[in-house]
Amino acid sequence: MASLPKPSVAPKTQVSVVLGSQWGDEGKGKLTDILAADVDICARCAGGNNAGHTIVANIGPDNVKTKFDFHLLPSGLVNPRCIGFLGSGVVVHVPSLFSELDTLEKKGLKCDGRLFVSDRAHLVFDFHQVVDGLKEVELGGSSIGTTKKGIGPAYSSKASRSGLRVHHLYDFELFANKFRKLVEGRFKRYGNFEYDTEGEIARYRAFAERLRPLIVDGVTFIHSALASNRRILVEGANALMLDLDYGTYPFVTSSSTGIGGVCTGLGIPPLAIGTVVGVMKAYTSRVGAGPFPTELFDETCVHLQEVGAEYGTTTGRRRRCGWLDLVMMRYSCLINGYTCMNLTKLDVLDGIKEIKVATGYRYQGKELTSFPADLSVLAKVEVEYKTFPGWEGPISEVTEYSQLPDTCRAYVEYLEDFMGIPITWVGVGPGRLSMLRR
Ligand code: IMP
């Protein structure tokens, strides 16, 4: 086929991936922002507007410090030379896409001609969001605690082969018929919830026109970029422990949030990927329900929540917090094959007298040799901890790794040894400059 680019062997540095290694909210945004300064394309491969990245950047000729919240759009758009791409594995809620785009533009970030969407990406509709809420109500006490953005229901439509993709918008009569059938199916399942089907179809007729210039054949787009030596940063959404297969199922999101999702979500082969950075917070947090072996309920939890500002950017919910779990991290490292790590929010541990990390799980008196698939086991594991002396701090003004207190470096180096992966980046504060490169 003459129109498709020939497969190319990407140089090791051409495609970099940033992935959350825990339960999300590791602070991927800051590293993505730093790395996006040097790339041509920043791509999302999975998830939808359930993700949340806040980036503070100086923009415009007057370098005005501006805060940007990204949920669906790739946060690399903050770099005015970077192109944003939503790959085939992403689920797109078109009204949210435009409202996010309009907010960026209002804040002075010109995005015209800088955002492209794969024609194979699936659409999330408002009825998916309604169904997300209804499903949660149905689950009652065992609800997942979803973001209610319709992500699970949209991926369900995709998996059941009744979903609508971006390209369907361009044969509008066919789109409208399929859409009516899809909504009918949901009415049958959940009863006649309030929903203006025809009004929604009319809105999508207008959206389709606005979206048209952004649509590309996702495979041609990404492979042409590879063939012309464009540097690509893949921005992971959510995190490995929320992965549909390898996370703490069913308390997960509905997409492949690990390295596998990068290949399927962008249509690129594994060998195209050079660097895989795992982002790991110096402690653990989790939003929503599900077992969390190192969870804390004492004043240290309050310290982590308050000092770490552990409130969801997408939902505003207070996050559950606990010690860093190296059993989980080893599992995460095996699956994603990180080539290096970014340890984040180390400064949040300043002032804690004794810092613990989980190094083993025991179940019914026996050491577990793997991370359990069965949540009833995970909920009952006894956690073995290693305790470290803390440091006073503050460490957020430190600019060189060697200037960190000895006890702080001992903590970092223990984590590195345990995982067998270099910690190349250490985040010591919220600012863009508070990132130590080793
Ligand atoms: P959903 O992705 O809205 O279906 O939510 C499924 C689970 O994933 C819930 O526990 C959410 O709180 C969690 N979740 C989804 N996205 C994120 C994220 O970006 N950070 C943290 N948790 C998330």
Side-chain angles (χ1 to χ4, degrees), residues 34-83:
I34 291 171
L35 299 181
D38 286 327
V39 299
D40 304 298
I41 295 172
C42 179
R44 284 271 312 262
C45 59
N49 58 330
N50 54 345
H53 297 159
T54 303
I55 288 186
V56 179
N58 295 340
I59 62 153
D62 300 329
N63 255 351
V64 181
K65 194 171 180 180
T66 315
K67 187 172 155 227
F68 297 98
D69 284 326
F70 289 91
H71 296 287
L72 173 62
L73 301 186
S75 58
L77 282 172
V78 163
N79 165 4
R81 293 174 308 283
C82 182
I83 285 176

Side-chain angles (χ1 to χ4, degrees), residues 3 20 33 51 68 70 115 120 164 183 193 216 223 237 287 294 386:
S3 55
D33 179 33
F68 297 98
F70 289 91
L115 177 68
R120 288 175 172 84
L164 284 160
V183 179
F193 52 86
V216 289
H223 282 275
V287 214
T294 62
K386 180 169 171 66

Side-chain angles (χ1 to χ4, degrees), residues 281-283 299-309 323 343-356 388-398 403-409 411-412 426-430 434 436:
K281 197 146 64 177
Y283 52 96
E299 68 281 5
T300 306
C301 174
V302 177
H303 172 108
L304 298 174
Q305 286 173 329
E306 296 300 326
V307 182
W323 298 120
L343 180 67
T344 60
K345 296 182 113 172
L346 187 57
D347 56 303
V348 174
L349 302 184
D350 284 356
I352 298 181
K353 294 254 164 326
E354 284 191 333
I355 297 167
K356 294 187 180 191
F388 291 83
W391 54 88
E392 268 312 308
I395 59 167
S396 49
E397 298 301 316
V398 167
Q403 295 165 357
L404 288 173
D406 292 350
T407 44
C408 183
R409 277 185 287 118
Y411 178 72
V412 176
V426 182
V428 292
S434 307
L436 312 179

Side-chain angles (χ1 to χ4, degrees), residues 93 127 215 267 357:
H93 183 245
F127 75 81
I215 310 308
V357 287

Side-chain angles (χ1 to χ4, degrees), residues 87-342:
S88 310
V90 176
V91 286
V92 181
H93 183 245
V94 181
S96 300
L97 181 150
F98 288 132
S99 100
E100 218 171 297
L101 205 53
D102 291 345
T103 308
L104 295 184
E105 295 267 356
K106 259 189 228 130
K107 290 188 174 181
L109 198 62
K110 293 266 160 288
C111 297
D112 221 22
R114 290 206 292 130
L115 177 68
F116 296 96
V117 183
S118 169
D119 52 358
R120 288 175 172 84
H122 275 252
L123 297 168
V124 185
F125 297 106
D126 287 8
F127 75 81
H128 285 126
Q129 302 188 338
V130 177
V131 166
D132 204 346
L134 295 173
K135 271 175 105 100
E136 287 284 90
V137 172
E138 205 174 74
L139 285 168
S142 44
S143 66
I144 310 292
T146 73
T147 58
K148 301 220 177 68
K149 301 290 178 191
I151 306 302
Y155 278 113
S156 296
S157 297
K158 173 176 174 174
S160 66
R161 295 162 293 184
S162 51
L164 284 160
R165 310 205 289 187
V166 164
H167 64 84
H168 284 124
L169 285 168
Y170 300 101
D171 181 344
F172 205 77
E173 289 322 304
L174 192 71
F175 169 82
N177 286 336
K178 280 180 181 287
F179 184 84
R180 287 186 192 102
K181 272 203 196 117
L182 198 53
V183 179
E184 270 312 309
R186 299 300 83 192
F187 283 157
K188 276 194 197 127
R189 169 67 181 79
Y190 291 97
N192 280 334
F193 52 86
E194 203 175 307
Y195 191 67
D196 177 7
T197 308
E198 294 307 314
E200 185 80 324
I201 291 174
R203 270 193 296 281
Y204 270 82
R205 194 183 278 281
F207 284 145
E209 282 322 299
R210 188 169 172 202
L211 200 62
R212 197 183 281 276
L214 279 56
I215 310 308
V216 289
D217 177 314
V219 176
T220 307
F221 175 86
I222 205 82
H223 282 275
S224 302
L226 287 173
S228 52
N229 299 322
R230 296 266 185 269
R231 296 188 65 180
I232 301 168
L233 176 67
V234 185
E235 177 179 19
N238 325 117
L240 198 261
M241 299 313 291
L242 294 169
D243 182 86
L244 186 57
D245 291 287
Y246 296 104
T248 43
Y249 188 90
F251 299 101
V252 292
T253 190
S254 299
S255 63
S256 297
T257 57
I259 193 73
V262 176
C263 296
T264 57
L266 292 175
I268 59 171
L271 289 181
I273 300 168
T275 307
V276 185
V277 190
V279 185
M280 169 178 86
K281 197 146 64 177
Y283 52 96
T284 311
S285 71
R286 158 156 225 186
V287 214
F292 177 174
T294 62
E295 184 166 13
L296 292 166
F297 301 94
D298 55 7
E299 68 281 5
T300 306
C301 174
V302 177
H303 172 108
L304 298 174
Q305 286 173 329
E306 296 300 326
V307 182
E310 295 294 350
Y311 303 93
T313 35
T314 299
T315 59
R317 289 179 288 182
R318 188 180 262 260
R319 299 178 187 137
R320 299 157 67 192
C321 289
W323 298 120
L324 180 61
D325 186 342
L326 288 178
V327 181
M328 184 174 108
M329 282 312 306
R330 269 217 181 134
Y331 172 79
S332 178
C333 293
L334 286 175
I335 293 163
N336 280 342
Y338 307 117
T339 55
C340 63
M341 304 300 294
N342 170 203

